[in-house]
Amino acid sequence: MFLSAYFSTGRIIFMCFFIIAFIALMIYSYRKDIKNHERYYKNAGKKVLIYGGLIIAVFVAIRILAGN
């Protein structure tokens, strides 16, 4: 197994439990704050998409103008 070359069995077990617990706590925290998310972060996905697209467009324009 690939992981056994770098990690002991105990570390692999700890890593699995840690990942599961971390994801569970993140889901619990998100569910707890869902009202705040709806109130303060309305349309945040659209803003991220617009700004991300703008950054990509500027990067592509610079690469085209630079000749690469």
Side-chain angles (χ1 to χ4, degrees), residues 49-61:
L49 186 64
I50 290 169
Y51 293 135
L54 182 65
I55 291 170
I56 291 171
V58 168
F59 176 76
V60 170

Side-chain angles (χ1 to χ4, degrees), residues 22-57:
F22 182 79
I23 291 171
L25 286 172
M26 291 297 290
I27 291 171
Y28 171 74
S29 177
Y30 182 79
R31 294 280 181 197
K32 188 176 166 186
D33 289 338
I34 198 149
K35 292 178 185 175
N36 288 334
H37 290 294
E38 291 173 355
R39 182 176 174 189
Y40 293 110
Y41 301 112
K42 187 179 285 188
N43 296 326
K46 291 179 185 177
K47 293 175 186 175
V48 169
L49 186 64
I50 290 169
Y51 293 135
L54 182 65
I55 291 170
I56 291 171

Side-chain angles (χ1 to χ4, degrees), residues 6-17:
Y6 297 103
F7 300 108
S8 66
T9 305
R11 287 183 179 175
I12 293 171
I13 292 171
F14 174 78
M15 183 172 46
C16 291
F17 282 122

